[in-house]
Amino acid sequence: MASTSHPPVAFSGSLASKTSASDLLRSSRNGVCGVPLKALGRARLGSKKRDFTISAKVRKVKKHEYPWPEDPDLNVKGGVLSHLSPFKPLKERQKPVTLDFEKPLMDLQKKIIDVQKMANETGLDFSDQIILLENKYQQALKDLYTHLTPIQRVNIARHPNRPTFLDHIFNITEKFVELHGDRAGYDDPAIVTGLGTINGRSYMFMGHQKGRNTKENIQRNFGMPTPHGYRKALRMMYYADHHGFPIITFIDTPGAFADLKSEELGQGEAIAHNLRTMFGLKVPIISIVMGEGGSGGALAIGCANKLLMLENAVFYVASPEACAAILWKTAKASPKAAEKLKITAQELCRLQIADGSIPEPLGGAHADPYWTSQQIKIAIEESMDELMKMDTQELLRHRMLKFRKLGGFQEGVPIDPKRKVNMKKKEEPLLPPGILDVELMDEVEKLKQEILKAKESTGKIPDTGLNEMIEKLRREIDFEFSEAAKALGLEEKLVMAREEFAKTRNSNDQSMHPVLKEKLDQLKDEFNRNISAAPNYASLTNKLEMLQEMSKAQKLSEKNSKVNKLKEEINKRLKEVMNRPDLKEKMDALKAEIKSTGVTRVMDLDQGIKEKLVQLKDEMDTEFSGVFESLGLNVNPALLPDAKRRIDEFNNEITTVMEDLVNSTDLKNKIELLKMEVAKAGKTADAESKAKIQALEQQIKQSLAQAMSFPELKEKHEKLKEEVVETVESLEGSNGSVLADSGGANSGVGVNVDANRSFA
């Protein structure tokens, strides 16, 4: 097949002068040779002329000044950092959230606001009252936040307004640029990483990021990372290790995200890879727990040379609610679980798991986020200055030893018996009690409050709820004792003893009683010796204490009830005596006779009327004594103050003589010798030691008896005895001298006859 040959096409002008290497390529398909490709579109290859153009529309967008502008304005609100990240201040202020234990503080705060409002409306000066309330509020705040329970610290660590990772970063760094992506197709927003500077020193920052409101929390997945987040952190660790940047991690997560997709993507593998890698990094690592650190999700970025915790942060393997649900089958036991887990910064520092506690302001980190951030900055600088002095091998060894010493043990060191019991291996799981201790304690506490309220209002203690609670506690204690016997292996012995006791009670033969009593005593001693080793010992002790409290309240209630009944009965009987016609007639006649004399004082009455008064008094005393004796009460004559004073003086004199004798050299040496012999003999004393101890005791008793038999003391005792007898006889005498001197106030019965009336 023949081919047609065309001569080369000639170009002139600018086109000829600006041909490139690619334009000189030849095309064999259309048979054109030596034609620049740029000119083919405009070359005339046929009779028809074709004109076309290619255009592209560029969309105008806002210039993205990131990570920071070329000419930042230092007067911009929020500073230069406001340009560095899409994380901006919230447009709306966060709503204040009051925790349950903070409600008393809110009541005080409300009072302060009300007083200030009243001052503004009325124009009056309430400055003193406001200052007093503010001081009271500050003192209450200090008392509350210096005595927080573990579960209260957990609630503070989870506070919705608590400052987040980026809040702290922008407060402590001069510059910060966020780095994104795990280079495997995803960027997890729950973990934020980036480079920043503190006082001119560059660091690699990474941390869990929670949201500041519901929208952000959904976007950040509530601070729960997926495997992509841990792989992003891993990439940044390698980057920091390569360039020599120290690493600072911030921990604040309830745990790694535990959904099906995360497990499919290798959540466990990602965490394990991070753990392994962090132990081999050649740069210093500091981890700061700023909220809650939950399980492996926190530990995946927490294998550091230094672990620091904010004062109200918590670090745990399982949350208190999860622990309570596992051990006590209810989340209501979370306060008890939080206490047992030892998850607070103070406990973890004591156990040497955490290396330091960073202070927070009163009210928590959300009360003053900037101040808290500055405390974190100070802690970072101090720890980093210490770590930067180490070389690579020292740094790696320091990190390894920090984790190797956790949970350490000592061999050949005697262990406290109480701790040994706690360390004993439990062969059986904890036995489920009939009622949970927490629920029972709540019921007892409510009953106490009801009793206090009833006592304040009516003065009486309610019996119904108290009796029911005591019965419930007794059932629970019986159950706990049975379970303790099972755990200690004494159940069979207990059952056999019960059967023998039942047989003895049913039979008329009483010869088995001494043998059975001995067996029961031995079983009781064995049980008491080993009860502390029972797994439910703490629960049993707790319930016994509650029963003791309720029993005391019941005894007090019964005593008050008896006293009130006795008072009512005494008043009833005395009223009957006073309303007897014969006594009433005598009293009215005597009053009329006294009135007719015109005398107003008993001392001015003539002897005949005084004798009648004494006679009436004796008759009424006899009647009243009969009433009291019929109710089982003894009436003792009251002593005069002078006699009582003399008895007290004599008792003081005897005490002084005894003290002088005990402090004397001879007796003091004997007492010291007795103490030494008792300590030397111990619990199992031999015959010789017992004889020595008895001889010393006899000598000491004889010395004390000799001191008490001094003639002077005996003489004083006899004299005082005679005076007391004379005083009692004079009180019981029929003369009117006592009545005239005291007006009947010191009589044996001491009843004021018709005290509401007067002689006049």
Side-chain angles (χ1 to χ4, degrees), residues 214-287:
T214 305
K215 183 179 178 182
E216 284 191 8
N217 266 321
I218 293 170
Q219 179 191 353
R220 301 282 182 180
N221 199 27
F222 294 87
M224 295 184 288
T226 61
H228 302 289
Y230 293 119
R231 290 179 182 128
K232 175 168 72 170
L234 181 67
R235 184 174 77 86
M236 299 307 164
M237 290 176 196
Y238 282 131
Y239 182 84
D241 190 46
H242 178 74
H243 292 283
F245 295 135
I247 299 172
I248 300 173
T249 67
F250 286 76
I251 297 170
D252 186 15
T253 179
F257 193 46
D259 69 330
L260 182 61
K261 190 69 176 175
S262 295
E263 294 300 329
E264 289 175 352
L265 292 171
Q267 184 75 282
E269 183 273 339
I271 293 173
H273 200 168
N274 279 28
L275 296 177
R276 184 186 70 180
T277 303
M278 290 189 80
F279 281 103
L281 297 176
K282 299 179 180 63
V283 293
I285 307 174
I286 296 175
S287 290

Side-chain angles (χ1 to χ4, degrees), residues 466-529:
L466 192 59
N467 295 334
E468 290 176 358
M469 179 56 67
I470 288 173
E471 288 300 321
K472 185 185 288 188
L473 284 169
R474 282 175 179 164
R475 288 196 301 270
E476 286 298 310
I477 288 168
D478 289 341
F479 174 80
E480 295 288 354
F481 272 122
S482 301
E483 297 301 331
K486 287 180 186 177
L488 297 173
L490 300 175
E491 187 180 11
E492 293 182 4
K493 292 182 181 179
L494 192 62
V495 171
M496 289 174 64
R498 282 176 180 169
E499 290 176 357
E500 289 181 18
F501 184 72
K503 287 178 184 177
T504 306
R505 289 186 64 185
N506 295 331
S507 64
N508 295 324
D509 185 14
Q510 301 296 323
S511 60
M512 288 284 292
H513 274 203
V515 179
L516 180 60
K517 187 175 183 301
E518 186 178 353
K519 284 185 178 179
L520 289 174
D521 289 340
Q522 289 177 357
L523 183 60
K524 183 180 177 183
D525 292 340
E526 186 179 359
F527 184 82
N528 289 335
R529 281 198 309 270

Side-chain angles (χ1 to χ4, degrees), residues 37 55 162 517:
L37 293 177
S55 63
R162 197 168 176 85
K517 187 175 183 301

